[in-house]
Amino acid sequence: MVISNKARKIIIPALLLILLIGILKVLGAILSPFNGDKFDPARWKAPMTSYELENCLRGGMADDIVHHVIKVGMRRERVVELLGKAPEGHGNKEQYPLGYCSGLGADVDYLDLYYDATGKLIEIDIHQY
């Protein structure tokens, strides 16, 4: 099969762009401040001091929580058993502070959980600033 020069000029840059996007996604996952630590209920539920906030000590557990500990569809009561009562939130949204994990470190990042009117978890978000 012979590929024309015109097609080559389109296909090669497109493939390089796809490869670059893939590399950036892998690097982003590896370098993320939200992975690397297994969920530790005692450490997670301990009161957060300014040291924990400044050093993102909860943040490393966020991905493990999202992928292995809580799931969409869980009841709010079960989530509270696992994570403790959220210190912040209102209405259908609860927020667990992770610490100053990303960006310039000027704002606290959060694990945001959203519930429907029946108390079922409908969305999980790691909110970065």
Side-chain angles (χ1 to χ4, degrees), residues 29-77:
I30 291 170
L31 300 175
S32 170
F34 303 112
N35 66 16
D37 294 335
K38 296 281 289 169
F39 174 63
D40 178 342
R43 196 170 108 205
W44 177 266
K45 291 178 183 178
M48 287 194 76
T49 66
S50 59
Y51 176 82
E52 276 100 12
L53 277 171
E54 290 168 9
N55 292 286
C56 187
L57 294 183
R58 268 190 183 172
M61 293 185 271
D63 277 347
D64 191 47
I65 290 169
V66 170
H67 296 294
H68 301 109
V69 178
I70 61 174
K71 301 284 183 221
V72 168
M74 276 186 168
R75 306 286 315 153
R76 180 178 261 165
E77 299 80 15

Short mmCIF file of all heavy atoms in Angstrom, two decimals, residues 29-77:
data_model
loop_
_atom_site.label_atom_id
_atom_site.label_comp_id
_atom_site.label_asym_id
_atom_site.label_seq_id
_atom_site.Cartn_x
_atom_site.Cartn_y
_atom_site.Cartn_z
N ALA A 29 -0.65 11.34 35.34
CA ALA A 29 -1.09 10.35 36.34
C ALA A 29 0.05 9.99 37.28
O ALA A 29 -0.17 9.85 38.49
CB ALA A 29 -1.62 9.11 35.62
N ILE A 30 1.24 9.84 36.76
CA ILE A 30 2.39 9.47 37.59
C ILE A 30 2.75 10.60 38.56
O ILE A 30 3.05 10.36 39.73
CB ILE A 30 3.61 9.12 36.71
CG1 ILE A 30 3.35 7.81 35.96
CG2 ILE A 30 4.88 9.01 37.55
CD1 ILE A 30 4.38 7.51 34.89
N LEU A 31 2.71 11.83 38.08
CA LEU A 31 3.14 12.98 38.88
C LEU A 31 2.01 13.59 39.70
O LEU A 31 2.24 14.55 40.43
CB LEU A 31 3.76 14.03 37.97
CG LEU A 31 4.99 13.58 37.18
CD1 LEU A 31 5.43 14.67 36.22
CD2 LEU A 31 6.12 13.19 38.11
N SER A 32 0.82 13.06 39.61
CA SER A 32 -0.32 13.61 40.33
C SER A 32 -0.09 13.58 41.83
O SER A 32 0.36 12.57 42.38
CB SER A 32 -1.58 12.80 40.00
OG SER A 32 -2.64 13.18 40.86
N PRO A 33 -0.43 14.67 42.53
CA PRO A 33 -0.30 14.65 43.99
C PRO A 33 -1.41 13.85 44.66
O PRO A 33 -1.40 13.67 45.87
CB PRO A 33 -0.42 16.14 44.36
CG PRO A 33 -1.25 16.73 43.27
CD PRO A 33 -0.87 15.96 42.02
N PHE A 34 -2.35 13.33 43.86
CA PHE A 34 -3.50 12.64 44.42
C PHE A 34 -3.39 11.12 44.37
O PHE A 34 -4.35 10.42 44.64
CB PHE A 34 -4.78 13.10 43.71
CG PHE A 34 -4.96 14.58 43.80
CD1 PHE A 34 -4.85 15.37 42.67
CD2 PHE A 34 -5.19 15.20 45.01
CE1 PHE A 34 -5.00 16.74 42.75
CE2 PHE A 34 -5.34 16.57 45.11
CZ PHE A 34 -5.23 17.34 43.96
N ASN A 35 -2.24 10.60 44.02
CA ASN A 35 -2.07 9.15 44.04
C ASN A 35 -0.79 8.79 44.78
O ASN A 35 -0.01 9.65 45.15
CB ASN A 35 -2.09 8.55 42.63
CG ASN A 35 -0.91 8.98 41.79
OD1 ASN A 35 0.09 9.48 42.26
ND2 ASN A 35 -1.02 8.77 40.50
N GLY A 36 -0.61 7.52 45.01
CA GLY A 36 0.61 7.06 45.65
C GLY A 36 0.42 6.49 47.04
O GLY A 36 1.23 5.71 47.50
N ASP A 37 -0.65 6.90 47.72
CA ASP A 37 -0.89 6.39 49.07
C ASP A 37 -2.17 5.56 49.11
O ASP A 37 -3.17 5.93 48.50
CB ASP A 37 -1.04 7.55 50.07
CG ASP A 37 0.24 8.34 50.25
OD1 ASP A 37 1.32 7.78 50.01
OD2 ASP A 37 0.15 9.52 50.62
N LYS A 38 -2.11 4.46 49.84
CA LYS A 38 -3.32 3.67 50.09
C LYS A 38 -4.17 4.41 51.13
O LYS A 38 -3.64 5.11 51.98
CB LYS A 38 -2.98 2.28 50.63
CG LYS A 38 -2.19 1.40 49.68
CD LYS A 38 -3.05 0.77 48.63
CE LYS A 38 -3.93 -0.31 49.23
NZ LYS A 38 -4.95 -0.77 48.33
N PHE A 39 -5.47 4.22 51.05
CA PHE A 39 -6.37 4.84 52.01
C PHE A 39 -6.10 4.28 53.40
O PHE A 39 -6.09 3.08 53.61
CB PHE A 39 -7.82 4.56 51.60
CG PHE A 39 -8.84 5.03 52.60
CD1 PHE A 39 -8.96 6.38 52.90
CD2 PHE A 39 -9.67 4.14 53.23
CE1 PHE A 39 -9.90 6.82 53.81
CE2 PHE A 39 -10.61 4.56 54.15
CZ PHE A 39 -10.73 5.91 54.44
N ASP A 40 -5.86 5.16 54.34
CA ASP A 40 -5.64 4.82 55.74
C ASP A 40 -6.73 5.52 56.54
O ASP A 40 -6.67 6.73 56.75
CB ASP A 40 -4.26 5.29 56.18
CG ASP A 40 -3.96 5.02 57.64
OD1 ASP A 40 -4.90 4.77 58.42
OD2 ASP A 40 -2.78 5.08 58.01
N PRO A 41 -7.76 4.77 56.98
CA PRO A 41 -8.90 5.41 57.65
C PRO A 41 -8.50 6.24 58.87
O PRO A 41 -9.03 7.33 59.07
CB PRO A 41 -9.78 4.23 58.07
CG PRO A 41 -9.39 3.11 57.19
CD PRO A 41 -7.94 3.32 56.85
N ALA A 42 -7.57 5.77 59.67
CA ALA A 42 -7.17 6.52 60.86
C ALA A 42 -6.50 7.84 60.47
O ALA A 42 -6.80 8.89 61.05
CB ALA A 42 -6.23 5.68 61.72
N ARG A 43 -5.61 7.78 59.50
CA ARG A 43 -4.92 9.00 59.06
C ARG A 43 -5.89 9.96 58.40
O ARG A 43 -5.83 11.17 58.58
CB ARG A 43 -3.79 8.62 58.11
CG ARG A 43 -2.80 9.75 57.92
CD ARG A 43 -1.59 9.27 57.17
NE ARG A 43 -1.66 9.86 55.83
CZ ARG A 43 -1.11 9.37 54.76
NH1 ARG A 43 -0.44 8.26 54.80
NH2 ARG A 43 -1.22 9.99 53.60
N TRP A 44 -6.82 9.41 57.61
CA TRP A 44 -7.79 10.23 56.91
C TRP A 44 -8.72 10.94 57.89
O TRP A 44 -9.02 12.11 57.75
CB TRP A 44 -8.61 9.37 55.95
CG TRP A 44 -9.68 10.15 55.25
CD1 TRP A 44 -10.98 10.28 55.62
CD2 TRP A 44 -9.53 10.94 54.07
NE1 TRP A 44 -11.64 11.09 54.75
CE2 TRP A 44 -10.78 11.51 53.78
CE3 TRP A 44 -8.46 11.22 53.22
CZ2 TRP A 44 -10.99 12.34 52.68
CZ3 TRP A 44 -8.66 12.04 52.13
CH2 TRP A 44 -9.92 12.59 51.87
N LYS A 45 -9.19 10.22 58.91
CA LYS A 45 -10.17 10.78 59.84
C LYS A 45 -9.54 11.67 60.92
O LYS A 45 -10.25 12.37 61.63
CB LYS A 45 -10.96 9.65 60.50
CG LYS A 45 -11.88 8.93 59.53
CD LYS A 45 -12.60 7.79 60.23
CE LYS A 45 -13.46 7.00 59.27
NZ LYS A 45 -14.13 5.86 59.93
N ALA A 46 -8.23 11.65 61.05
CA ALA A 46 -7.56 12.47 62.06
C ALA A 46 -7.78 13.95 61.73
O ALA A 46 -7.82 14.33 60.56
CB ALA A 46 -6.07 12.15 62.10
N PRO A 47 -7.92 14.79 62.77
CA PRO A 47 -8.09 16.23 62.50
C PRO A 47 -6.90 16.77 61.71
O PRO A 47 -5.76 16.38 61.94
CB PRO A 47 -8.12 16.84 63.90
CG PRO A 47 -8.45 15.72 64.82
CD PRO A 47 -7.93 14.46 64.18
N MET A 48 -7.21 17.65 60.76
CA MET A 48 -6.15 18.22 59.92
C MET A 48 -5.55 19.45 60.59
O MET A 48 -6.25 20.40 60.86
CB MET A 48 -6.69 18.57 58.55
CG MET A 48 -6.94 17.34 57.71
SD MET A 48 -7.18 17.73 55.97
CE MET A 48 -5.52 18.06 55.46
N THR A 49 -4.27 19.38 60.81
CA THR A 49 -3.55 20.54 61.33
C THR A 49 -3.04 21.36 60.15
O THR A 49 -3.14 20.92 59.00
CB THR A 49 -2.35 20.09 62.19
OG1 THR A 49 -1.40 19.42 61.33
CG2 THR A 49 -2.78 19.16 63.31
N SER A 50 -2.48 22.51 60.43
CA SER A 50 -1.93 23.31 59.33
C SER A 50 -0.79 22.57 58.64
O SER A 50 -0.59 22.70 57.44
CB SER A 50 -1.46 24.67 59.85
OG SER A 50 -0.48 24.51 60.83
N TYR A 51 -0.05 21.74 59.39
CA TYR A 51 1.04 20.95 58.79
C TYR A 51 0.49 19.98 57.74
O TYR A 51 1.02 19.87 56.64
CB TYR A 51 1.81 20.18 59.87
CG TYR A 51 2.88 19.29 59.29
CD1 TYR A 51 4.12 19.81 58.94
CD2 TYR A 51 2.65 17.93 59.07
CE1 TYR A 51 5.11 19.01 58.38
CE2 TYR A 51 3.63 17.12 58.52
CZ TYR A 51 4.85 17.66 58.18
OH TYR A 51 5.82 16.86 57.62
N GLU A 52 -0.59 19.25 58.09
CA GLU A 52 -1.18 18.30 57.14
C GLU A 52 -1.70 19.02 55.90
O GLU A 52 -1.56 18.54 54.79
CB GLU A 52 -2.30 17.49 57.80
CG GLU A 52 -1.82 16.29 58.56
CD GLU A 52 -1.75 16.55 60.06
OE1 GLU A 52 -2.28 17.58 60.53
OE2 GLU A 52 -1.15 15.72 60.76
N LEU A 53 -2.36 20.16 56.11
CA LEU A 53 -2.87 20.93 54.98
C LEU A 53 -1.73 21.40 54.08
O LEU A 53 -1.78 21.23 52.86
CB LEU A 53 -3.65 22.15 55.46
CG LEU A 53 -5.11 21.91 55.84
CD1 LEU A 53 -5.68 23.16 56.49
CD2 LEU A 53 -5.94 21.50 54.65
N GLU A 54 -0.71 21.97 54.66
CA GLU A 54 0.39 22.53 53.88
C GLU A 54 1.18 21.45 53.15
O GLU A 54 1.77 21.72 52.10
CB GLU A 54 1.33 23.32 54.79
CG GLU A 54 0.71 24.61 55.29
CD GLU A 54 1.50 25.27 56.41
OE1 GLU A 54 2.63 24.84 56.69
OE2 GLU A 54 0.96 26.22 56.99
N ASN A 55 1.21 20.24 53.67
CA ASN A 55 2.00 19.18 53.06
C ASN A 55 1.16 18.13 52.32
O ASN A 55 1.66 17.08 51.96
CB ASN A 55 2.88 18.52 54.12
CG ASN A 55 3.95 19.47 54.58
OD1 ASN A 55 4.91 19.72 53.87
ND2 ASN A 55 3.77 20.05 55.76
N CYS A 56 -0.11 18.44 52.12
CA CYS A 56 -0.99 17.59 51.31
C CYS A 56 -0.98 16.13 51.78
O CYS A 56 -0.94 15.21 50.98
CB CYS A 56 -0.57 17.69 49.84
SG CYS A 56 -1.67 16.86 48.68
N LEU A 57 -1.01 15.92 53.09
CA LEU A 57 -0.90 14.56 53.60
C LEU A 57 -2.13 13.69 53.32
O LEU A 57 -2.01 12.48 53.27
CB LEU A 57 -0.57 14.57 55.09
CG LEU A 57 0.81 15.15 55.41
CD1 LEU A 57 1.10 15.07 56.90
CD2 LEU A 57 1.91 14.45 54.64
N ARG A 58 -3.28 14.29 53.11
CA ARG A 58 -4.46 13.51 52.71
C ARG A 58 -4.52 13.32 51.20
O ARG A 58 -5.12 12.37 50.72
CB ARG A 58 -5.73 14.24 53.13
CG ARG A 58 -6.26 13.87 54.46
CD ARG A 58 -7.63 14.49 54.58
NE ARG A 58 -8.20 14.25 55.87
CZ ARG A 58 -9.32 14.81 56.29
NH1 ARG A 58 -9.96 15.65 55.50
NH2 ARG A 58 -9.78 14.54 57.47
N GLY A 59 -3.96 14.25 50.48
CA GLY A 59 -4.10 14.26 49.03
C GLY A 59 -3.65 12.99 48.34
O GLY A 59 -4.27 12.55 47.38
N GLY A 60 -2.59 12.37 48.83
CA GLY A 60 -2.08 11.15 48.21
C GLY A 60 -3.04 9.98 48.27
O GLY A 60 -2.90 9.02 47.52
N MET A 61 -4.03 10.05 49.15
CA MET A 61 -5.01 8.97 49.28
C MET A 61 -6.23 9.17 48.38
O MET A 61 -7.05 8.26 48.22
CB MET A 61 -5.50 8.87 50.73
CG MET A 61 -4.45 8.43 51.72
SD MET A 61 -5.14 8.21 53.37
CE MET A 61 -4.92 9.86 54.04
N ALA A 62 -6.36 10.34 47.77
CA ALA A 62 -7.58 10.69 47.03
C ALA A 62 -7.90 9.71 45.89
O ALA A 62 -9.03 9.25 45.76
CB ALA A 62 -7.50 12.11 46.51
N ASP A 63 -6.91 9.39 45.06
CA ASP A 63 -7.18 8.46 43.95
C ASP A 63 -7.59 7.08 44.46
O ASP A 63 -8.48 6.45 43.88
CB ASP A 63 -5.96 8.33 43.04
CG ASP A 63 -5.87 9.43 42.00
OD1 ASP A 63 -6.85 10.17 41.81
OD2 ASP A 63 -4.80 9.58 41.39
N ASP A 64 -6.95 6.60 45.51
CA ASP A 64 -7.32 5.30 46.06
C ASP A 64 -8.75 5.32 46.57
O ASP A 64 -9.51 4.37 46.36
CB ASP A 64 -6.35 4.89 47.18
CG ASP A 64 -6.54 3.44 47.60
OD1 ASP A 64 -6.62 2.56 46.71
OD2 ASP A 64 -6.61 3.18 48.81
N ILE A 65 -9.14 6.41 47.23
CA ILE A 65 -10.52 6.54 47.71
C ILE A 65 -11.49 6.50 46.54
O ILE A 65 -12.48 5.77 46.55
CB ILE A 65 -10.69 7.84 48.53
CG1 ILE A 65 -9.94 7.72 49.86
CG2 ILE A 65 -12.16 8.16 48.76
CD1 ILE A 65 -9.82 9.02 50.63
N VAL A 66 -11.20 7.29 45.51
CA VAL A 66 -12.09 7.39 44.35
C VAL A 66 -12.21 6.06 43.60
O VAL A 66 -13.28 5.69 43.15
CB VAL A 66 -11.62 8.51 43.40
CG1 VAL A 66 -12.36 8.48 42.08
CG2 VAL A 66 -11.77 9.87 44.07
N HIS A 67 -11.11 5.32 43.49
CA HIS A 67 -11.12 4.10 42.68
C HIS A 67 -11.37 2.82 43.46
O HIS A 67 -11.75 1.81 42.85
CB HIS A 67 -9.81 3.98 41.90
CG HIS A 67 -9.61 5.09 40.92
ND1 HIS A 67 -10.41 5.27 39.82
CD2 HIS A 67 -8.73 6.12 40.91
CE1 HIS A 67 -10.02 6.34 39.16
NE2 HIS A 67 -9.01 6.88 39.80
N HIS A 68 -11.17 2.83 44.78
CA HIS A 68 -11.28 1.57 45.52
C HIS A 68 -12.12 1.62 46.79
O HIS A 68 -12.47 0.57 47.32
CB HIS A 68 -9.87 1.06 45.89
CG HIS A 68 -9.01 0.84 44.70
ND1 HIS A 68 -7.95 1.65 44.41
CD2 HIS A 68 -9.06 -0.08 43.72
CE1 HIS A 68 -7.38 1.24 43.29
NE2 HIS A 68 -8.04 0.19 42.85
N VAL A 69 -12.39 2.81 47.32
CA VAL A 69 -13.06 2.87 48.62
C VAL A 69 -14.52 3.25 48.49
O VAL A 69 -15.39 2.56 49.03
CB VAL A 69 -12.32 3.86 49.57
CG1 VAL A 69 -13.04 3.97 50.90
CG2 VAL A 69 -10.87 3.42 49.77
N ILE A 70 -14.82 4.32 47.79
CA ILE A 70 -16.21 4.73 47.61
C ILE A 70 -16.60 4.59 46.15
O ILE A 70 -15.76 4.65 45.27
CB ILE A 70 -16.46 6.17 48.11
CG1 ILE A 70 -15.62 7.17 47.34
CG2 ILE A 70 -16.22 6.27 49.61
CD1 ILE A 70 -15.93 8.63 47.69
N LYS A 71 -17.88 4.40 45.93
CA LYS A 71 -18.39 4.22 44.56
C LYS A 71 -19.68 5.00 44.39
O LYS A 71 -20.46 5.15 45.33
CB LYS A 71 -18.69 2.74 44.28
CG LYS A 71 -17.50 1.82 44.42
CD LYS A 71 -16.58 1.94 43.25
CE LYS A 71 -15.44 0.96 43.38
NZ LYS A 71 -14.18 1.50 42.99
N VAL A 72 -19.90 5.49 43.18
CA VAL A 72 -21.18 6.11 42.85
C VAL A 72 -22.26 5.07 43.15
O VAL A 72 -22.11 3.89 42.85
CB VAL A 72 -21.20 6.55 41.37
CG1 VAL A 72 -22.60 6.92 40.92
CG2 VAL A 72 -20.24 7.71 41.14
N GLY A 73 -23.33 5.54 43.77
CA GLY A 73 -24.43 4.65 44.14
C GLY A 73 -24.45 4.31 45.63
O GLY A 73 -25.45 3.85 46.15
N MET A 74 -23.33 4.55 46.32
CA MET A 74 -23.28 4.29 47.77
C MET A 74 -24.20 5.25 48.51
O MET A 74 -24.42 6.38 48.08
CB MET A 74 -21.87 4.49 48.33
CG MET A 74 -20.97 3.35 48.18
SD MET A 74 -19.41 3.72 49.07
CE MET A 74 -18.70 2.12 49.07
N ARG A 75 -24.70 4.81 49.62
CA ARG A 75 -25.52 5.65 50.49
C ARG A 75 -24.61 6.59 51.28
O ARG A 75 -23.47 6.24 51.62
CB ARG A 75 -26.32 4.79 51.47
CG ARG A 75 -27.17 3.71 50.83
CD ARG A 75 -28.41 4.19 50.14
NE ARG A 75 -29.14 5.16 50.93
CZ ARG A 75 -29.92 6.11 50.41
NH1 ARG A 75 -30.08 6.19 49.12
NH2 ARG A 75 -30.54 6.96 51.18
N ARG A 76 -25.10 7.78 51.57
CA ARG A 76 -24.35 8.79 52.32
C ARG A 76 -23.88 8.23 53.66
O ARG A 76 -22.75 8.48 54.09
CB ARG A 76 -25.22 10.02 52.52
CG ARG A 76 -24.53 11.13 53.28
CD ARG A 76 -25.42 12.34 53.41
NE ARG A 76 -25.04 13.31 52.39
CZ ARG A 76 -25.78 14.34 52.03
NH1 ARG A 76 -26.95 14.55 52.58
NH2 ARG A 76 -25.35 15.18 51.12
N GLU A 77 -24.72 7.47 54.32
CA GLU A 77 -24.36 6.90 55.62
C GLU A 77 -23.13 5.99 55.52
O GLU A 77 -22.26 5.99 56.39
CB GLU A 77 -25.54 6.12 56.22
CG GLU A 77 -26.78 6.94 56.49
CD GLU A 77 -27.65 7.21 55.25
OE1 GLU A 77 -27.46 6.53 54.22
OE2 GLU A 77 -28.50 8.11 55.32
#
